[in-house]
Amino acid sequence: MSAIERNNVHLGGSGGRSMIFAHGFGCDQNMWRFVEPAFASEFKTVLFDHVGAGGSDLKAYDKEKYSSLTGYADDVVEIGRELGLADAVFVGHSVSSMIGVLAAQKAPGMFGKLVLVGPSPRYIDDGDYFGGFTEKQIDELLQFLDSNHMGWSVQMAPAIMGNPDRPELGQELTNSFCRTDPDIAKAFARVTFKSDNRADLGKVDVPTLILQCSDDIIASRPVGEFVNRAIPNSEIVFLEATGHCPNLSAPDEVVAAMRSFV
Amino acid sequence: MDEARIDDFEDMFENAPCAYITLLPNGRIQRVNKTLLGWIGHTAEHMGGKRFSDFLNMAGRIYFETHIAPLLRMQGSYDEFAIDMVTAAGEPLQMIANAREGRDAAGKALFTRLALIKATDRRRYERELLQARDVAKTNLESERETSELREQFIAVLGHDLRNPLASISAGARILGREAKSDKEHQVIAMLETTVLRMAGLIDNVLDFARGRLGGGIALDRNASKLLEPVLHQVIDELRLASPGRLIEAEYAIDVPVDCDRSRIGQLVSNLVGNALSHGSSNEPVRVRAVTEDGLFRLSVANDGEPIPEAAMAKLFEPFFRGEVRASRQGLGLGLHIAAQIAKAHEGRLTVSSTREETCFTFVMPLRQRSQDHVRHEHQS
């Protein structure tokens, strides 16, 4: 199976350069629905789902491969190779920011610019480093995901019913977006919140834009500033948008900041 | 307390049987109802203007930011999600919630309304269900492993028992050539009988273990070879091994029988062995093998006490052992295996037992297997 099928790649837009959007933990490519159209007239746009999310091929999930962000970065590189991406703009939200940082190292020349929305190279505090979370809090989260199966089961109804070829059965779904396989989501949460990519930031050698929200408890301001200091050729824009998903809550602000960068 | 009024909408909001929270687009609390204040132990002044996430535990905060908030933005509502708030006393307040986003005409978020109900018991119940599922999974796994090991052990044991038995058999044959006295001949005949019986037992054990391991009874059918000589040989061996007993055999096999001949031999051996053990010792065991009316029919009959009614139902179950003298006691697999062989041939093994006679009958359809096959291929 090609990476394009495996990762449910959707192509849009037109233009000389390409822009690839990578979603974060908890969602799928739908989270770019307010941002991607703004660039479709100047860029060829690429949307995809990480394996385990949205319309990706769940059978492609390999515990070993996806036990670190490297596995996800390999997928991005594979998609890029299949599409022949060169000098493209990589836009990553949340955990996908670090996936982009890794992918850019693996495939020099594939990405000419990085846009990191709410990045965090490490969520757990470590000595002088402020990540925003203690180890215990992250363990609590992972436990909570275990017990919050009600939300999960609603999201996964079509998969459980085993009728992917009869979409009408999915119509009564409470949530049609951001469906995730519960077991994979748990594993992804573990990989995301236990990752430490601080050492990879210095290796980024392309212009990088960091979009930092106000009042973001997942990736707070000191974390964004850390990323800004660690990536040589980077700039940081502080958004008025609150929360962790400005691409949904304040798309205009995100688009404006991106536009002046790319 | 004021008297309750049915049309008091303020009361309907404040004292609803569920908690209400209204959030501004920036995630801060605009208003909460009294029901929530009662549950959580904070004042309205304390909560107003604070972030909703400030009242969630850490896991809830992350879950809200990464799952609920984006979904609300995309689809405008989100139902039935679990969320844990924290009370003023620091206790978890476990709830199930629905949320709706209020939007302007352009689709911009104006506010979010949440309705929450306490779900402590329900959440505990769900957790217990999950735990029970995990325990059941683990138990099943270990149960499966144990039973597989046990059956593998039987298979290996059965296999290893064959070798020493072959040595005993060979030894007895060598001694038989040099035996002089009647006594010596008798002892050697007894040895050979025992070897034969034991070989039969081992075959049954192996077949049983194989069947349980999922292999079933494999057949090597061959209609072009004659069945009768195999039956002859089996019965001759049994005669040799049972001095003093009479085995009458009658064959009328007019058409080829598409069967696994050695399996049918095993079936006959098991049935005759059974008849010799249970039948009256001064009457013959009668074997009859015929082809008639498109069927192959093989019956083994003996005189003696009829099989008790209670035993009839269990006769073909594994490890069923009837009343028999200890020296003749088997594993209780002979009839079970015979029935399995019958089944593998799409046939049946039945029994009738009266004062006059106990008779086991194996019947299987005589079909032109290869021709059926050819015809089928032409059709498709």
Side-chain angles (χ1 to χ4, degrees):
Chain A
M1 172 177 275
S2 69
I4 290 177
E5 285 171 77
R6 180 191 61 206
N7 289 90
N8 190 29
V9 171
H10 282 96
L11 302 175
S14 58
R17 289 161 69 200
S18 295
M19 190 179 277
I20 180 166
F21 295 89
H23 69 83
F25 166 70
C27 210
D28 61 21
Q29 59 183 273
N30 275 299
M31 67 162 14
W32 297 110
R33 61 215 318 256
F34 303 135
V35 173
E36 180 265 346
F39 294 93
S41 59
E42 305 150 64
F43 289 86
K44 288 196 197 80
T45 57
V46 182
L47 290 161
F48 72 96
D49 296 328
H50 286 303
V51 168
S56 66
D57 180 19
L58 298 186
K59 290 194 295 292
Y61 188 77
D62 175 339
K63 258 190 196 160
E64 194 66 33
K65 172 177 175 184
Y66 297 108
S67 65
S68 78
L69 294 182
T70 311
Y72 291 95
D74 285 339
D75 285 359
V76 170
V77 170
E78 275 178 47
I79 294 167
R81 294 230 164 95
E82 282 178 29
L83 295 174
L85 293 187
D87 198 27
V89 180
F90 177 93
V91 187
H93 174 241
S94 193
V95 64
S96 275
S97 300
M98 290 308 123
I99 292 171
V101 164
L102 295 173
Q105 278 176 53
K106 283 171 177 284
M110 187 178 280
F111 304 113
K113 279 180 175 173
L114 302 182
V115 177
L116 312 181
V117 185
S120 172
R122 179 181 162 108
Y123 293 88
I124 299 172
D125 300 340
D126 179 28
D128 288 344
Y129 172 80
F130 173 83
F133 299 91
T134 62
E135 185 110 40
K136 190 169 161 267
Q137 285 170 329
I138 293 300
D139 288 337
E140 214 179 275
L141 164 78
L142 299 174
Q143 224 172 10
F144 174 76
L145 289 179
D146 261 333
S147 69
N148 199 6
H149 54 285
M150 258 194 31
W152 296 121
S153 65
V154 171
Q155 292 183 30
M156 286 310 292
I160 289 161
M161 291 191 296
N163 281 305
D165 50 344
R166 290 183 60 195
E168 73 271 22
L169 288 178
Q171 276 175 4
E172 289 183 25
L173 260 193
T174 325
N175 308 303
S176 40
F177 302 113
C178 301
R179 273 184 240 128
T180 345
D181 176 89
D183 287 335
I184 299 178
K186 271 180 238 164
F188 192 25
R190 190 172 294 277
V191 172
T192 299
F193 289 105
K194 297 233 161 173
S195 63
D196 184 351
N197 295 97
R198 287 175 294 175
D200 296 300
L201 297 176
K203 298 173 194 160
V204 176
D205 58 359
V206 296
T208 300
L209 171 68
I210 297 150
L211 295 183
Q212 177 62 48
C213 284
S214 10
D215 226 6
D216 182 354
I217 58 159
I218 308 276
S220 54
R221 187 170 171 141
V223 178
E225 287 168 343
F226 178 92
V227 176
N228 180 213
R229 283 195 305 275
I231 298 181
N233 189 5
S234 69
E235 57 183 284
I236 186 165
V237 171
F238 296 99
L239 303 176
E240 277 178 38
T242 55
H244 188 54
C245 298
N247 38 347
L248 286 165
S249 63
D252 296 346
E253 211 186 348
V254 171
V255 168
M258 281 173 62
R259 189 158 276 149
S260 56
F261 173 70
V262 299
Chain B
M1 198 184 193
D2 294 338
E3 188 183 297
R5 277 180 41 216
I6 196 165
D7 57 353
D8 184 348
F9 281 90
E10 183 68 16
D11 172 70
M12 193 168 149
F13 173 78
E14 290 293 351
N15 299 307
C18 67
Y20 286 126
I21 302 177
T22 306
L23 303 179
L24 296 169
N26 62 7
R28 293 191 180 257
I29 294 171
Q30 190 258 342
R31 189 170 177 188
V32 297
N33 72 347
K34 285 185 181 160
T35 308
L36 180 79
L37 295 174
W39 288 347
I40 205 165
H42 287 302
T43 61
E45 292 69 40
H46 177 74
M47 294 188 78
K50 293 230 167 57
R51 283 182 299 206
F52 175 56
S53 358
D54 293 341
F55 299 94
L56 301 176
N57 65 7
M58 186 52 78
R61 277 178 210 175
I62 298 173
Y63 187 65
F64 188 80
E65 292 295 334
T66 56
H67 290 74
I68 299 164
L71 271 169
L72 274 173
R73 203 64 278 282
M74 282 187 277
Q75 57 188 30
S77 68
Y78 187 11
D79 289 345
E80 283 190 63
F81 58 89
I83 194 107
D84 291 0
M85 294 187 82
V86 181
T87 66
E91 297 293 318
L93 179 57
Q94 298 185 311
M95 300 203 275
I96 303 282
N98 284 3
R100 294 268 175 291
E101 195 177 72
R103 297 174 170 177
D104 66 12
K108 211 175 145 236
L110 297 174
F111 56 83
T112 297
R113 288 201 176 118
L114 295 145
L116 310 102
I117 54 169
K118 266 207 253 190
T120 317
D121 277 352
R122 183 174 172 158
R123 294 276 288 284
R124 184 165 43 223
Y125 173 62
E126 286 162 2
R127 251 195 326 275
E128 282 166 4
L129 273 181
L130 273 185
Q131 274 162 8
R133 187 197 64 181
D134 290 346
V135 168
K137 242 192 216 163
T138 316
N139 287 352
L140 185 69
E141 199 69 24
S142 84
E143 199 54 42
R144 199 175 285 149
E145 274 170 25
T146 313
S147 95
E148 217 163 273
L149 260 178
R150 194 185 305 130
E151 274 147 16
Q152 265 165 11
F153 170 74
I154 294 173
V156 169
L157 179 73
H159 196 263
D160 286 357
L161 284 175
R162 272 181 171 165
N163 292 332
L165 199 60
S167 314
I168 295 170
S169 175
R173 229 175 300 125
I174 292 166
L175 288 176
R177 278 186 227 126
E178 289 165 12
K180 292 188 182 80
S181 70
D182 279 358
K183 174 102 179 170
E184 281 171 330
H185 278 292
Q186 248 174 17
V187 170
I188 289 160
M190 213 165 69
L191 264 179
E192 283 178 335
T193 310
T194 311
V195 164
L196 192 71
R197 204 172 132 248
M198 206 156 155
L201 289 176
I202 292 170
D203 282 348
N204 287 343
V205 164
L206 277 174
D207 282 335
F208 177 72
R210 216 175 283 134
R212 299 290 285 205
L213 283 167
I217 288 198
L219 295 186
D220 179 18
R221 289 181 184 231
N222 190 341
S224 64
K225 292 208 169 148
L226 295 177
L227 176 60
E228 207 173 305
V230 176
L231 299 180
H232 265 302
Q233 193 196 331
V234 170
I235 287 164
D236 280 348
E237 274 175 20
L238 286 160
R239 278 178 182 140
L240 220 64
S242 316
R245 298 296 298 269
L246 199 59
I247 305 173
E248 297 174 357
E250 180 192 346
Y251 309 105
I253 305 174
D254 307 322
V255 290
V257 182
D258 182 27
C259 65
D260 183 326
R261 293 174 310 140
S262 69
R263 284 299 187 187
I264 298 296
Q266 189 186 3
L267 178 144
V268 172
S269 173
N270 285 0
L271 292 181
V272 174
N274 181 67
L276 288 169
S277 302
H278 297 272
S280 126
S281 58
N282 43 21
E283 295 295 333
V285 170
R286 298 173 294 277
V287 180
R288 191 165 171 269
V290 298
T291 50
E292 56 186 17
D293 309 328
L295 298 170
F296 171 63
R297 195 186 297 274
L298 187 147
S299 60
V300 175
N302 61 267
D303 292 1
E305 284 295 306
I307 301 166
E309 195 66 39
M312 286 293 258
K314 293 182 186 159
L315 222 45
F316 298 112
E317 285 178 15
F319 305 117
F320 176 77
R321 303 199 286 194
E323 297 288 315
V324 70
R325 60 180 187 277
S327 68
R328 271 294 183 181
Q329 191 74 278
L331 287 168
L333 285 173
L335 290 179
H336 173 71
I337 301 290
Q340 295 300 308
I341 293 171
K343 200 172 136 197
H345 283 87
E346 288 116 47
R348 282 186 56 186
L349 182 61
T350 53
V351 60
S352 67
S353 189
T354 62
R355 294 227 149 271
E356 287 73 48
E357 179 185 78
T358 291
C359 182
F360 285 84
T361 308
F362 163 61
V363 178
M364 67 171 271
L366 283 172
R367 47 193 189 104
Q368 249 47 34
R369 203 155 171 265
S370 49
Q371 281 178 21
D372 276 355
H373 191 63
V374 168
R375 204 178 310 136
H376 186 75
E377 270 186 351
H378 276 303
Q379 279 167 356
S380 60

